[in-house]
Amino acid sequence: MSEYHHHCGYRGDHEHDRVRGRDDHDHHHRCRCKDDHDQCRGGCRCDITLNVACVGPTGATGPTGATGASGASGAAGATGAAGATGATGPTGAAGATGATGPTGATGPTGAAGATGATGPTGATGPTGAAGVTGATGATGATGATGPTGATGATGATGPTGATGPTGATGATGGAVSNFADFYALMPPDNTATVAPGANVQFPNDGPTSATTIFATSPSTFNLSAIGTYQVLFQVSVSEPGQLDLALNGTELAYTVVGRATGTTQIVGLALVTTTVINSILSVRNPAGNSTALTITPFAGGTHPVSAHLVITQLS
């Protein structure tokens, strides 16, 4: 109230009374609202509801007053139009089953059905009593002879027989002039295979009677004298193959020996006649064959196995 009076020139209720009809000099100087002409100062305004007195600016809004009492209910409105028909509701649960009706009259007999499949065979019945024995049949043909039985154990030695008469004197035999034995041991000898046309090696000297039969290399042997020689050789090989004798580089066709299967030794025995001194003899894998021969090491066991060439001069 004091701020209001300060801006608009009021000094309490007394001055307000003077504005309303008891003017003094100060009122006429600071607040004049005559003939609707606003001459108020300091942000004031004239209010004709107060007999053209000067009033201050509008104050802040006061707090909301208490809610008034509810008014009386209005009259009921007119009934609205009917709404659209709603969607059909779900089907209700099935009702309880009704009581069974009376049995109907028997219908006529239907046509006969098709014949059913044959049932499984029944179990075999018990064996009947044995029949009377039939007459004896004719004798069959004689069967084939069975295999020979195993040889029985050797019987005890019989007593020594009487000495027979002395036989006639035989013809005088030929004398052996010279001989020599040459051999190989596998291993370590003949480690390489013997190709067709190549010689078997017998690098070691065995027993010999003279120096007329001797080795010139591990696989070639010199026959110094012209004559006839018996030559025996035996060699263990791993493949099917052949061996023969070669004299002075020429293979002697009549001395070829061989083996088609198995792993037994190849053994040869032949007589060789020389026509020149110092002929050279060898044991060879025949030229033209397709298989190189492996001289078998440890054939048949754990010890080195031997191969031999035995040359005997007969004449």
Side-chain angles (χ1 to χ4, degrees):
M1 186 68 179
S2 62
E3 181 179 357
Y4 176 82
H5 288 165
H6 173 76
H7 288 295
C8 296
Y10 286 97
R11 299 177 180 171
D13 291 339
H14 177 71
E15 288 188 3
H16 179 68
D17 290 340
R18 286 194 301 165
V19 171
R20 293 174 60 90
R22 293 181 291 272
D23 298 330
D24 58 12
H25 174 76
D26 182 69
H27 171 74
H28 289 288
H29 176 72
R30 297 180 58 189
C31 184
R32 287 177 291 182
C33 293
K34 294 182 180 182
D35 301 327
D36 295 330
H37 295 288
D38 187 357
Q39 297 182 6
C40 296
R41 294 177 301 168
C44 299
R45 63 181 177 83
C46 291
D47 189 345
I48 59 176
T49 60
L50 298 175
N51 295 322
V52 295
C54 290
V55 296
T58 304
T61 303
T64 303
T67 303
S70 298
S73 299
T79 301
T85 303
T88 304
T91 304
T97 303
T100 303
T103 302
T106 301
T109 301
T115 302
T118 303
T121 303
T124 303
T127 303
V132 177
T133 303
T136 302
T139 301
T142 302
T145 302
T148 303
T151 303
T154 303
T157 303
T160 304
T163 302
T166 302
T169 301
T172 301
V176 174
S177 299
N178 295 297
F179 63 86
D181 180 16
F182 306 95
Y183 69 92
L185 289 176
M186 282 66 66
D189 302 325
N190 288 297
T191 55
T193 58
V194 180
N199 298 331
V200 179
Q201 295 183 357
F202 300 90
N204 305 298
D205 292 333
T208 184
S209 63
T211 59
T212 57
I213 304 173
F214 59 91
T216 58
S217 75
S219 62
T220 57
F221 307 91
N222 185 282
L223 307 179
S224 300
I226 297 174
T228 299
Y229 296 83
Q230 177 179 281
V231 182
L232 169 69
F233 62 86
Q234 54 88 10
V235 183
S236 296
V237 296
S238 300
E239 303 86 6
Q242 295 178 330
L243 295 173
D244 65 5
L245 295 175
L247 185 64
N248 297 321
T250 301
E251 295 182 13
L252 304 177
Y254 68 91
T255 66
V256 175
V257 290
R259 188 194 69 229
T261 59
T263 55
T264 58
Q265 290 182 323
I266 296 179
V267 179
L269 176 64
L271 296 178
V272 176
T273 299
T274 64
T275 57
V276 296
I277 63 172
N278 297 320
S279 294
I280 301 299
L281 182 74
S282 60
V283 178
R284 180 174 296 182
N285 181 1
N289 283 357
S290 61
T291 305
L293 300 179
T294 302
I295 310 304
T296 310
F298 301 110
T302 60
H303 298 281
V305 66
S306 66
H308 281 270
L309 171 62
V310 178
I311 303 172
T312 305
Q313 183 180 3
L314 301 179
S315 63

